[in-house]
Amino acid sequence: MTPAARAGARPALLDVEDLGNDGLDEVLALATSPGLPPVLAGAGVAMVFEKPSARTRNASEMAVVALGGHPVSMQAAEVGIDTRERAEDVARTLACYHRVLCARVFDHQVLVRMVDALAGAPDVVPVVNLLSDRAHPCQAVADLLTLRSALAPGDASPAALSGRRVAYVGDANNVCRSLAKVAVLAGMEVRVASPAGFQLSEESVSEIGRLASATGRGGTLVLTDDPRAAAAGADALYTDVWTSMGQEGEAERRRRAFAGYAVDGPLLAEAAPDAVVLHCLPAHRGEEISAEVLEGPSSVVWRQAAYRLDAMRGVLAWLLGVAPGGPR
Ligand code: CP
Ligand code: NVA
């Protein structure tokens, strides 16, 4: 790590707000930059997982390797967050050995406590949210890279997606919240169709609204309980599982509540003729998405999964103080 990069390190990416007004554009630029400096040379990155992961763990580990570092992934039981020792002590301990601390947690507040525990230390050790009950910001960066490549190929300008329409259909969950935030920052019209009881909270709507006005790119949020209204003329459809990790006991109730909210052939027919379909994965064919749509020509889900690696390179480089074009 160069002294300049160390000095410019940021404390955390817990959700999209932590990027600030210009941060998202910088992360996207870094993510698509062909050559990033080896800012993690000789350094470790700790990754603690309280839940399963395929994409996030593999993309994050390989992003660390690409930046010259060494990833150390742990299941939560190995460190025992708030069982073997307090989350604050886990964070302080891992910061003794690592340049970055990443975690996938059930309770978002655990991440906030880790950031607080590391605040004021002489060397900034950024904390990265690899998915919590509230947010999935690293996924959202990959989602925006996917939308840009599908809807505005070759256009890397900050306003490339301005005015384009993305419809999220299903549970207004962690993935939906972070997606809506990056999409309004990019100037998109975001439509969210969810049944009563599974819609965005007033607090989330306010957070998204604040970001929509931050860049002046005309981003908007439209809420509905009608999937067809959300899909009508949309440039992109997005869905995620109806039952997130940790909610398995509610699966039956959720299947009933989300009946009619599947992204399937008839819903896709409501969208723009060349609309694309996104899903953060893992997918449940026959529930939130039909096999026909997931495997069909409109689906960009594997491109989206691949962008997770670029997104993580961009996120880590940005947190460590690399600016597009060189260290700050
Ligand atoms: N989309 C995503 O975060 O996948 P994993 O749960 O497999 O990491
Ligand atoms: N909403 C899902 C996303 C999985 C990547 C969950 O939290 O389980």
Side-chain angles (χ1 to χ4, degrees), residues 210-238:
R210 274 195 293 278
L211 290 172
S213 25
T215 60
R217 290 181 195 144
T220 53
L221 175 66
V222 180
L223 304 177
T224 176
D225 61 3
D226 181 352
R228 288 166 57 96
D235 300 296
L237 301 185
Y238 195 124

Side-chain angles (χ1 to χ4, degrees), residues 86-96 101 113-115 117-118:
R86 294 160 51 106
E88 288 83 354
D89 294 353
V90 171
R92 286 190 201 108
T93 301
L94 293 175
C96 296
L101 168 55
R113 288 167 53 206
M114 286 177 157
V115 175
L118 299 182

Side-chain angles (χ1 to χ4, degrees), residues 52-57 104 131 136 139 245 280-282 308:
S53 171
R55 281 146 291 271
T56 307
R57 176 174 170 179
R104 168 168 285 199
L131 182 145
H136 200 359
Q139 175 72 53
M245 293 179 277
C280 60
L281 303 174
R308 293 296 308 277

Side-chain angles (χ1 to χ4, degrees), residues 50-289:
E50 287 188 338
K51 313 179 192 183
S53 171
R55 281 146 291 271
T56 307
R57 176 174 170 179
N58 283 279
S60 301
E61 289 198 4
M62 293 314 293
V64 171
V65 171
L67 295 173
H70 181 88
V72 177
S73 292
M74 290 149 274
Q75 297 303 306
E78 294 173 63
V79 284
I81 297 176
D82 287 332
T83 52
R84 188 164 184 263
E85 59 189 321
R86 294 160 51 106
E88 288 83 354
D89 294 353
V90 171
R92 286 190 201 108
T93 301
L94 293 175
C96 296
Y97 320 119
H98 296 284
R99 278 294 294 127
V100 183
L101 168 55
C102 306
R104 168 168 285 199
V105 299
F106 284 99
D107 179 1
H108 189 84
Q109 204 53 31
V110 166
L111 295 169
V112 175
R113 288 167 53 206
M114 286 177 157
V115 175
D116 289 347
L118 299 182
D123 286 330
V124 177
V125 176
V127 178
V128 185
N129 180 3
L130 296 183
L131 182 145
S132 69
D133 55 339
R134 284 181 58 88
H136 200 359
C138 301
Q139 175 72 53
V141 172
D143 297 342
L144 212 52
L145 288 168
T146 311
L147 286 165
R148 219 168 61 172
S149 87
L151 303 182
D155 184 355
S157 70
L161 290 170
S162 207
R164 307 304 292 272
R165 294 156 291 189
V166 57
Y168 179 97
V169 177
D171 188 16
N173 58 15
N174 44 8
V175 167
C176 172
R177 236 173 261 123
S178 295
L179 168 74
K181 289 179 180 179
V182 292
V184 295
L185 271 176
M188 296 188 80
E189 178 182 318
V190 181
R191 304 164 176 179
V192 178
S194 314
F198 300 93
Q199 296 168 341
L200 288 170
S201 66
E202 277 181 28
E203 184 193 1
S204 297
V205 171
S206 304
E207 288 170 2
I208 296 162
R210 274 195 293 278
L211 290 172
S213 25
T215 60
R217 290 181 195 144
T220 53
L221 175 66
V222 180
L223 304 177
T224 176
D225 61 3
D226 181 352
R228 288 166 57 96
D235 300 296
L237 301 185
Y238 195 124
T239 191
D240 181 19
V241 293
W242 292 339
T243 300
S244 284
M245 293 179 277
Q247 300 171 334
E248 288 77 7
E250 302 172 20
E252 208 35 63
R253 180 172 78 88
R254 286 172 167 271
R255 253 180 233 117
R256 283 195 297 276
F258 289 107
Y261 284 81
V263 172
D264 54 14
L267 195 71
L268 183 55
E270 302 290 331
D274 51 356
V276 292
V277 175
L278 291 86
H279 191 312
C280 60
L281 303 174
H284 295 100
R285 292 163 176 79
E287 288 197 17
E288 79 278 357
I289 190 164

